[in-house]
């Protein structure tokens, strides 16, 4: 009796999915407007297919004053780039304020966007990455006004609440140095926390949680800009 041995050949089919993705190296730019200098950004294609990107400036969503928008001063080259899979490309830009306009001292802003251009047959949303550009000129003023500042007792300790408005002409990060004292004015503890990121002309709520320090009878709060160009102190007796 003959045996018939059947050999089954399995063809393995590997499905390859294409995907797009990209990132930029620098998250933001701070420049001096009266000294025009070319800036560079590196775009990284993290996908497995070629990527077409356009670069353009837009007004930040939280910028209300049109006079403080500088997107029209930004010149990008090239404005369109094609980046191979897992490759990278450099783009350059320069910010040049118009010569026929008086530029007041202070900070001006825009966002430089890098947006994927969809090709025929591509599905999904276009990817977009934005990097803020801060342009500063002249005398920068760091200032703020406060409302409803108070320290309230909570179950876990205290909470510092209030409202702060940037009344200067530039953005800055507001920090709070908080000190706890006893009845004899002896320092019990000192902490430092971020209070708010203040863009020019914006208002922010402050809410800082503080732990309970035994024997505390006085709390002092020193609001300041990181380079100590601005200070404001408030004292609370408990």
């Amino acid at each position: 009796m003959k045996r018939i041995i059947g050999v089954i050949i399995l063809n393995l089919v590997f499905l390859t999915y294409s995907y797009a993705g990209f990132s930029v190296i620098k998250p933001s730019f701070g420049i001096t407007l009266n000294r025009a200098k070319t800036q560079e950004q590196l775009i990284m294609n993290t996908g497995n297919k070629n990527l077409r990107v356009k670069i353009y400036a837009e007004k930040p969503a939280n910028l209300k004053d049109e006079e403080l928008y500088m997107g029209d001063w930004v010149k990008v080259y090239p404005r369109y780039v094609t980046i191979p899979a897992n490759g990278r490309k450099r783009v350059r830009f320069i910010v040049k304020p118009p010569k026929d306009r008086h530029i007041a001292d202070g900070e001006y802003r825009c966002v430089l966007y890098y947006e994927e251009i969809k090709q025929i047959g591509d599905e999904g949303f276009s990817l977009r990455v934005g990097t803020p550009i801060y342009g500063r000129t002249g005398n920068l003023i760091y200032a703020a006004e406060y409302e409803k500042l108070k320290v309230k007792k909570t179950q876990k300790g205290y909470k510092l609440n209030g409202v702060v408005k940037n009344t200067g002409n530039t953005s800055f990060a507001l920090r709070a140095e908080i000190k706890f004292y006893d009845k004899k004015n002896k320092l019990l503890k000192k902490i430092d926390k971020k209070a708010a990121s203040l863009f020019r002309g914006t208002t922010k709520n402050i809410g800082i949680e503080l732990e309970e320090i035994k024997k505390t009878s006085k709390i002092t709060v020193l609001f300041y800009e990181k380079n100590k160009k601005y200070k404001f102190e408030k004292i609370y007796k408990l």
Side-chain angles (χ1 to χ4, degrees):
M1 182 178 177
K2 293 183 179 180
R3 290 184 177 182
I4 300 176
I5 301 175
V7 179
I8 302 175
I9 300 175
L10 298 178
N11 291 319
L12 300 179
V13 179
F14 293 94
L15 298 179
T16 301
Y17 296 93
S18 63
Y19 62 93
F22 71 93
S23 62
V24 296
I25 296 298
K26 296 183 180 179
S28 64
F29 292 86
I31 62 175
T32 303
L33 291 176
N34 57 1
R35 293 197 299 269
K37 182 180 178 182
T38 300
Q39 307 290 328
E40 283 192 352
Q41 179 67 281
L42 186 63
I43 308 175
M44 313 281 288
N45 183 353
T46 57
N48 64 356
K49 64 177 183 178
N50 290 350
L51 185 70
R52 182 77 170 158
V53 176
K54 62 178 178 180
I55 303 100
Y56 57 93
E58 273 192 6
K59 188 176 76 169
N62 60 1
L63 183 63
K64 307 302 180 184
D65 191 344
E66 292 286 345
E67 292 295 314
L68 303 181
Y69 174 60
M70 65 172 192
D72 297 335
W73 309 346
V74 179
K75 307 300 179 186
V76 182
Y77 48 96
R79 293 188 298 118
Y80 297 87
V81 293
T82 299
I83 311 172
N86 298 308
R88 59 181 66 184
K89 279 288 179 70
R90 293 185 185 276
V91 295
R92 295 174 175 83
F93 70 89
I94 192 169
V95 181
K96 287 187 175 182
K99 295 181 179 180
D100 59 349
R101 172 186 163 183
H102 170 68
I103 306 300
D105 291 354
E107 179 186 84
Y108 300 80
R109 290 192 289 142
C110 70
V111 179
L112 198 62
Y113 282 107
Y114 313 82
E115 184 174 346
E116 173 194 12
I117 301 175
K118 287 291 187 183
Q119 305 301 312
I120 297 175
D122 287 347
E123 297 180 353
F125 297 101
S126 293
L127 303 175
R128 189 170 83 152
V129 175
T131 55
I133 304 176
Y134 302 87
R136 304 178 180 97
T137 186
N139 182 37
L140 300 181
I141 300 171
Y142 298 81
E145 291 181 354
Y146 301 85
E147 292 182 2
K148 303 175 182 178
L149 277 179
K150 56 186 176 181
V151 173
K152 293 180 64 176
K153 187 74 176 70
T154 65
Q155 290 182 344
K156 296 182 179 180
Y158 304 95
K159 187 172 184 179
L160 173 63
N161 290 317
V163 178
V164 57
K165 180 180 180 180
N166 186 342
T167 55
N169 64 4
T170 187
S171 302
F172 65 97
L174 185 69
R175 299 198 62 83
E177 181 186 86
I178 303 164
K179 295 179 179 179
F180 299 80
Y181 295 88
D182 65 10
K183 291 181 180 180
K184 296 182 179 180
N185 209 35
K186 178 183 177 182
L187 179 63
L188 300 173
K189 189 170 184 177
K190 180 177 76 172
I191 61 174
D192 191 283
K193 290 196 173 188
K194 180 180 178 180
S197 294
L198 294 176
F199 293 109
R200 181 179 180 181
T202 60
T203 300
K204 290 286 187 71
N205 292 322
I206 295 175
I208 302 176
E209 299 284 351
L210 304 173
E211 63 177 307
E212 184 173 8
I213 307 298
K214 292 182 179 181
K215 299 182 180 181
T216 297
S217 65
K218 183 179 74 174
I219 295 176
T220 65
V221 182
L222 176 67
F223 292 105
Y224 70 97
E225 185 269 338
K226 67 178 181 178
N227 295 317
K228 303 298 173 69
K229 294 181 179 179
Y230 166 80
K231 293 181 180 181
F232 172 79
E233 187 172 40
K234 187 77 173 176
I235 300 174
Y236 299 93
K237 292 185 177 180
L238 305 179

